[in-house]
Amino acid sequence: MSKRVLYFECNTGISGDMTVAALLDAGASEEVLLEALKGIKDESFEIKISRVKKSGLDCCDFDVVLDAEHETHDHDMEYLYGHEHSHNHCHGHHDHDDEHTHDHHHAHVHRNPSDIKAIINDLDITDNARSIANRTFDILAEAEAKAHGISIDEVHFHEVGAIDSIVDVVAAAVCLDNLGVDEVIVKSISEGTGSVRCQHGVIPVPVPAVSNIAAAYKLPLKIVDREGEFVTPTGAALLAATITSKKLPESFTIERVGMGAGKRDYDPPGILRAMLINPIED
């Protein structure tokens, strides 16, 4: 039986939600995905899957909609955690507590990597989907620990960031598994330039977690001459967890194309294409 090859075209970056949207658009089952996500026992979010236009093109949009209590920040891509609430999203957070005081007098809790593993391992998903999700979170935790100079056990995911990222990672893993993907090709990953404001100051793009993942997993980054953060840590971690090749076959047929929309207003807009391809053998 021939292998199922997926080509991610990351010309305008990648994030967790863009990945899920592109995979759904490429034919992953929405029903299977929503059933799997029901297992995440958390009342603070719901899933919205819709169609949006980007540059006049019809794309799928996957959105983790947080309830009013949690929806206090710019929900444009996933919020990443660690001891700095998140990178460019942290200016939108309310600062509940200093990063070194883990008091729980407020409604928001912290989750560490083992808490997240417990959530993933408790889900009714295939072993393959579970393995992709766990590996992605290992890569994320490793990169955040390195960025902050702490041990992996000390990495804390703020409640909002954790739920958003858990949903994106699990959803992407379930969709990849549902499509029966054996190989993932990523030729290059476009990233912007500049810096983003964080709770503790201004940090450069690519944000440290992304550059740490790119370094550890030899991801094919391509810095484009446009300001903005196009690659999120979750997007980078999903690629690092699944990439099998950086080279496209010389010729191939395309079985299916999926277009996943990014949330931000960039020019050109963020669109992740996922193509299921069949290499043409000589």
Side-chain angles (χ1 to χ4, degrees), residues 14-16 77-78 80 87 210 229-237 264:
I14 184 167
S15 66
M77 286 192 188
E78 53 272 33
L80 270 126
H87 35 277
V210 168
E229 180 202 7
F230 306 149
V231 180
T232 67
T234 302
R264 299 183 194 167

Side-chain angles (χ1 to χ4, degrees), residues 13-32:
I14 184 167
S15 66
D17 53 357
M18 287 165 82
T19 305
V20 181
L23 294 170
L24 283 170
D25 203 34
S29 166
E30 193 175 310
E31 200 180 329
V32 167

Side-chain angles (χ1 to χ4, degrees), residues 202-238:
V202 172
I203 58 173
V205 173
V207 296
V210 168
S211 47
N212 290 344
I213 291 168
Y217 295 89
K218 306 283 184 279
L219 293 183
L221 271 188
K222 174 183 173 184
I223 305 298
V224 297
D225 192 19
R226 290 202 309 278
E227 280 205 18
E229 180 202 7
F230 306 149
V231 180
T232 67
T234 302
L238 281 163

Side-chain angles (χ1 to χ4, degrees), residues 15-25 29-30 33-34 37 40 45-52 54 59-65 75-78 163-175 238 259-263:
S15 66
D17 53 357
M18 287 165 82
T19 305
V20 181
L23 294 170
L24 283 170
D25 203 34
S29 166
E30 193 175 310
L33 173 60
L34 294 175
L37 294 179
I40 299 175
F45 77 94
E46 59 179 352
I47 300 300
K48 185 178 163 217
I49 297 166
S50 59
R51 308 299 304 180
V52 295
K54 291 274 174 181
C59 302
C60 177
D61 182 71
F62 176 80
D63 200 6
V64 181
V65 183
H75 195 301
D76 53 359
M77 286 192 188
E78 53 272 33
I163 277 302
D164 208 54
S165 297
I166 290 165
V167 173
D168 282 344
V169 167
V170 167
V174 167
C175 288
L238 281 163
M259 311 249 285
K263 302 284 186 291

Side-chain angles (χ1 to χ4, degrees), residues 14 50 69 106 120-121 134 140-141 151 189 216 252 280:
I14 184 167
S50 59
E69 186 195 336
H106 50 70
I120 292 170
N121 291 334
N134 276 325
L140 275 173
S151 74
I189 307 157
F252 55 88
I280 295 171

Side-chain angles (χ1 to χ4, degrees), residues 6-212:
L6 183 77
Y7 167 47
F8 276 127
E9 184 190 76
C10 309
N11 291 346
T12 48
I14 184 167
S15 66
D17 53 357
M18 287 165 82
T19 305
V20 181
L23 294 170
L24 283 170
D25 203 34
S29 166
E30 193 175 310
E31 200 180 329
V32 167
L33 173 60
L34 294 175
E35 194 54 44
L37 294 179
K38 274 186 195 162
I40 299 175
K41 304 280 187 277
D42 190 293
E43 303 302 312
S44 67
F45 77 94
E46 59 179 352
I47 300 300
K48 185 178 163 217
I49 297 166
S50 59
R51 308 299 304 180
V52 295
K53 291 272 195 296
K54 291 274 174 181
S55 284
L57 301 175
D58 178 49
C59 302
C60 177
D61 182 71
F62 176 80
D63 200 6
V64 181
V65 183
L66 300 170
D67 64 20
E69 186 195 336
H70 297 85
E71 190 58 276
T72 53
H73 22 37
D74 55 331
H75 195 301
D76 53 359
M77 286 192 188
E78 53 272 33
Y79 315 100
L80 270 126
Y81 40 82
H83 280 27
E84 306 197 20
H85 288 273
S86 59
H87 35 277
N88 58 332
H89 317 288
C90 38
H91 59 265
H93 274 281
H94 28 243
D95 187 10
H96 283 299
D97 52 7
D98 180 80
E99 71 269 29
H100 295 298
T101 58
H102 302 306
D103 51 13
H104 295 279
H105 64 265
H106 50 70
H108 288 238
V109 295
H110 293 95
R111 286 194 174 97
N112 62 28
S114 58
D115 296 332
I116 288 171
K117 282 252 162 107
I119 292 169
I120 292 170
N121 291 334
D122 205 33
L123 294 174
D124 184 15
I125 56 179
T126 67
D127 288 346
N128 181 41
R130 195 182 327 279
S131 156
I132 296 168
N134 276 325
R135 181 163 157 71
T136 303
F137 264 108
D138 285 345
I139 291 167
L140 275 173
E142 197 181 88
E144 288 289 341
K146 186 172 167 59
H148 299 292
I150 55 178
S151 74
I152 285 180
D153 300 338
E154 291 176 279
V155 172
H156 282 83
F157 299 66
H158 278 259
E159 181 188 40
V160 174
I163 277 302
D164 208 54
S165 297
I166 290 165
V167 173
D168 282 344
V169 167
V170 167
V174 167
C175 288
L176 283 162
D177 176 70
N178 180 254
L179 287 170
V181 171
D182 301 298
E183 291 184 16
V184 172
I185 299 173
V186 183
K187 212 170 126 203
S188 74
I189 307 157
S190 295
E191 173 62 300
T193 61
S195 55
V196 289
R197 177 164 293 285
C198 189
Q199 182 197 358
H200 299 292
V202 172
I203 58 173
V205 173
V207 296
V210 168
S211 47
N212 290 344

